[in-house]
């Protein structure tokens, strides 16, 4: 599983970071981005899905190729 935060949609609610601090980091403006290249370790996939479901801006997406 791989995820991405759309910088055009993220407005800094920080729910993602609160739910899965291992997967997201927040910049000085409170905007989120994925840690590393967004690859989610299997044990964190539930938290990744929870974060996707809880972002009010629908800014977090799962990347499927
Ligand atoms: Fe941004 Fe959504 Fe997280 S708005 S800070 S990606 S909860």
């Amino acid at each position: 599983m791989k995820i991405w935060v759309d910088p055009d949609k993220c407005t800094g609610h920080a729910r993602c970071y609160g739910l899965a601090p291992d997967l997201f980091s927040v910049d000085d403006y409170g905007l989120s981005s994925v840690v590393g290249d967004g690859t989610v370790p299997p044990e964190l996939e539930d938290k990744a899905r929870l974060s996707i479901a809880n972002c009010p801006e629908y800014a977090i997406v799962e990347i499927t190729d």
Side-chain angles (χ1 to χ4, degrees):
M1 182 181 188
K2 197 169 180 177
I3 56 174
W4 178 67
V5 176
D6 186 338
D8 292 331
K9 291 185 177 174
C10 175
T11 57
H13 289 280
R15 292 189 191 176
C16 54
Y17 183 76
L19 289 165
D22 293 333
L23 297 176
F24 302 94
S25 61
V26 178
D27 70 12
D28 291 343
Y29 301 99
L31 303 180
S32 175
S33 59
V34 292
V35 170
D37 70 353
T39 300
V40 179
E43 67 273 18
L44 292 179
E45 287 188 358
D46 284 350
K47 283 190 174 179
R49 292 195 178 92
L50 197 62
S51 301
I52 290 169
N54 276 277
C55 175
E57 307 298 333
Y58 305 103
I60 308 166
V61 291
E62 181 176 357
I63 298 172
T64 49
D65 7 66

